[in-house]
Amino acid sequence: NLTKCDNLASTFSNCTNLTTINMPNLVEGTVGSMAFYNCRALQTIDLKISTSNYYNYMFSNCISLTKVKAPLATINATCFNKCSILRTLILPQSNTAATLESSTAFNDTLIGKNQNSGIYVPRVLLNDYKTATNWVTLSNYIYAIEDYPDITGG
């Protein structure tokens, strides 16, 4: 049972048959650049890393990705490049709102484009997300996790 890692940079890159990543016990480490790059069959990711850095192209070109559950501290402009059917982002277990470095970070996704998409955050941070720089453009798609308990279940 992996609970700590030094760096997942490029670890799963180009694993074209990988469909699910579920590492809820990974609580310490770094998810590095291109960690899941070009995992074209990857549909869902569930990470629980409490002290992490997230880098460029982490999920880029994951064309089948629909759901990410991870306590991302920073989301940069390239994080979700070419994730054209990503519709659910769950940002749990955090004391502060994640930094969204660019308002274009979700341009290649379904997030912010239709009512079947959403970003789910802890209720105590809901207003912080809805009013924060770059997040404000997505405020109509940001919801409290607690209002949708079924969204976190898989």
Side-chain angles (χ1 to χ4, degrees), residues 72-146:
L72 301 171
T74 301
I75 298 171
N76 65 34
T78 63
C79 192
F80 297 107
N81 273 1
K82 299 180 183 173
C83 295
S84 59
I85 62 172
L86 177 65
R87 67 170 83 40
T88 305
L89 177 62
I90 303 167
L91 300 169
Q93 304 140 348
S94 178
N95 297 323
T96 60
T99 301
L100 184 59
E101 291 184 347
S102 172
S103 60
T104 64
F106 297 102
N107 280 3
D108 287 350
T109 74
L110 294 176
I111 292 175
K113 294 184 178 68
N114 66 52
Q115 291 308 116
N116 294 324
S117 69
I119 299 165
Y120 299 86
V121 302
R123 181 185 318 286
V124 298
L125 297 175
L126 190 59
N127 190 54
D128 293 349
Y129 274 97
K130 287 185 176 236
T131 59
T133 302
N134 294 328
W135 286 111
V136 70
T137 61
L138 297 164
S139 63
N140 291 335
Y141 300 93
I142 301 173
Y143 310 101
I145 293 170
E146 295 85 350

Side-chain angles (χ1 to χ4, degrees), residues 26-117:
L26 184 62
V27 295
E28 217 177 302
T30 300
V31 176
S33 296
M34 300 174 66
F36 306 101
Y37 177 80
N38 204 36
C39 292
R40 300 174 68 78
L42 187 59
Q43 297 171 11
T44 61
I45 294 174
D46 185 352
L47 296 175
K48 181 182 176 185
I49 301 178
S50 57
T51 56
S52 303
N53 295 312
Y54 292 84
Y55 297 99
N56 294 328
Y57 303 101
M58 190 166 77
F59 304 109
S60 187
N61 212 34
C62 293
I63 60 173
S64 300
L65 190 61
T66 62
K67 181 178 178 181
V68 173
K69 179 181 177 184
L72 301 171
T74 301
I75 298 171
N76 65 34
T78 63
C79 192
F80 297 107
N81 273 1
K82 299 180 183 173
C83 295
S84 59
I85 62 172
L86 177 65
R87 67 170 83 40
T88 305
L89 177 62
I90 303 167
L91 300 169
Q93 304 140 348
S94 178
N95 297 323
T96 60
T99 301
L100 184 59
E101 291 184 347
S102 172
S103 60
T104 64
F106 297 102
N107 280 3
D108 287 350
T109 74
L110 294 176
I111 292 175
K113 294 184 178 68
N114 66 52
Q115 291 308 116
N116 294 324
S117 69

